[in-house]
Amino acid sequence: MQEWTDEFITSAQHELVSMVKDWKYDYGADDKACSAMLLWMVLKLNPEAEIDSTLLQPFDYS
């Protein structure tokens, strides 16, 4: 794995922002839906992660 240098982190952030912009464009997703998808990905990579389950619901069901 590549070392977490400032350049690596900046590059990863740019790639992540681009990916989220694509989701918004392709699927009409809003910020909340995109953040829910990112958190779901975190759980797939690290099932032990402690994430508030209410943040995984992209839509307000109230």
Side-chain angles (χ1 to χ4, degrees), residues 28-59:
D30 62 8
D31 287 339
K32 190 170 182 181
C34 289
S35 64
M37 177 60 83
L38 291 170
L39 290 173
W40 176 81
M41 289 178 178
V42 168
L43 286 176
K44 293 301 269 183
L45 293 170
N46 182 5
E48 305 300 317
E50 293 183 22
I51 295 176
D52 182 350
S53 64
T54 61
L55 297 174
L56 295 169
Q57 297 177 351
F59 305 105

Side-chain angles (χ1 to χ4, degrees), residues 7-19:
E7 181 182 358
F8 173 77
I9 292 169
T10 299
S11 177
Q13 288 173 332
H14 287 293
E15 288 183 36
L16 182 60
V17 168
S18 294
M19 184 173 65

